[in-house]
């Protein structure tokens, strides 16, 4: 968030919401307005009126500098338990949910473009939208979803910065689309196309 009252959260939290309410640390509740949303990165920007409100703004880190094995904290509101902190490590980077096994598919209704940070810090229902924090106290991501105990996915803060900038100016994120799909050139495909090797890809 910032002192202007802008707050970043997940798209799936505010999707089709008729009323958005933000609860502040001291318990007061403020109505928020949706500024923009991007379902492909599961990010949304909302705004509250900052007048008379003491807003603390976290330090944002560099998600590109996050290393596998690094200790992190995931903060959220799982099952209504406010400001719960989970402790874990970064399990992987550049994760794509499209690479999941069929029995682990996420029924999101759309394809994510985010290269997620994977952690073993629990992200339970209610934890979405909370920060992923390194041991320097810097926010390195926005927590998105969990796929069972020990497998959680976070949107890198560098992606958040880029999308937030677009949401602030236009209310939506714009991106190019080339209209191509790429598939590894397997032995079976090479044989079908009468190719001698498996070097390259099928477009």
């Amino acid at each position: 968030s910032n002192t202007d009252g802008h707050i970043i959260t997940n798209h799936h939290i505010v999707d089709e919401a008729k009323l958005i309410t933000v609860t502040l640390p001291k318990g007061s509740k403020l109505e928020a307005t949706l500024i923009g949303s991007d379902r492909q990165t599961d990010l949304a920007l909302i705004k509250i009126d900052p007048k008379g409100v003491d807003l603390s703004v976290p330090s944002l880190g560099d998600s590109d500098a996050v290393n596998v094995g690094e200790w992190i904290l995931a903060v959220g509101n799982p099952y209504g338990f406010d400001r719960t902190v989970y402790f874990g490590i970064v399990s992987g980077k550049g994760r794509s949910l499209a690479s999941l096994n069929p029995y682990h598919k996420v029924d999101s209704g759309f394809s994510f473009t985010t290269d997620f940070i994977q952690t073993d810090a629990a992200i339970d229902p209610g934890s979405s939208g909370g920060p992923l924090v390194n041991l320097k106290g810097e926010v390195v991501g926005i927590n998105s979803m969990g796929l069972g105990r020990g497998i959680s996915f976070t949107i890198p803060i560098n992606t958040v910065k880029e999308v937030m900038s677009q949401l602030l100016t236009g209310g939506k994120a714009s991106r190019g689309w080339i209209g191509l799909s790429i598939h590894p050139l397997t032995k079976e495909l090479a044989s079908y196309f009468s190719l001698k090797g498996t070097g390259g890809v099928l477009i």
Side-chain angles (χ1 to χ4, degrees), residues 5-187:
H6 288 98
I7 301 170
I8 198 80
T9 187
N10 291 137
H11 165 82
H12 75 260
I13 292 176
V14 300
D15 188 25
E16 299 184 8
K18 292 184 171 71
L19 178 67
I20 303 171
T21 303
V22 174
T23 302
L24 300 178
K26 293 183 179 180
S28 59
K29 297 184 178 182
L30 297 174
E31 186 174 333
T33 303
L34 179 63
I35 301 300
S37 187
D38 180 44
R39 67 166 38 211
Q40 285 190 286
T41 52
D42 193 26
L43 290 169
L45 182 66
I46 62 176
K47 188 178 187 303
I48 60 173
D49 185 354
K51 291 180 181 177
V53 179
D54 183 18
L55 295 177
S56 58
V57 181
S59 298
L60 302 183
D62 178 6
S63 51
D64 290 341
V66 171
N67 295 310
V68 174
E70 180 177 338
W71 293 104
I72 43 79
L73 302 170
V75 184
N77 188 31
Y79 303 105
F81 292 102
D82 192 22
R83 286 172 283 174
T84 295
V85 179
Y86 287 113
F87 190 48
I89 63 167
V90 174
S91 306
K93 293 179 66 179
R95 298 299 197 206
S96 169
L97 297 189
S99 65
L100 292 174
N101 293 327
Y103 54 86
H104 276 154
K105 281 188 176 177
V106 177
D107 185 17
S108 62
F110 59 94
S111 298
F112 292 104
T113 58
T114 301
D115 289 328
F116 288 95
I117 298 171
Q118 179 188 339
T119 75
D120 67 352
I123 298 178
D124 292 315
S127 297
S128 299
L132 187 74
V133 184
N134 62 21
L135 296 188
K136 296 178 183 178
E138 300 169 332
V139 177
V140 293
I142 301 295
N143 299 322
S144 181
M145 68 186 74
L147 292 180
R149 192 58 52 188
I151 305 177
S152 301
F153 297 96
T154 297
I155 306 155
I157 200 64
N158 291 357
T159 299
V160 174
K161 292 174 185 177
E162 293 175 7
V163 173
M164 183 175 173
S165 176
Q166 293 192 57
L167 295 180
L168 273 170
T169 56
K172 63 180 182 179
S174 299
R175 53 181 61 88
W177 181 65
I178 196 170
L180 299 177
S181 60
I182 298 174
H183 191 282
L185 187 58
T186 63
K187 289 182 179 179

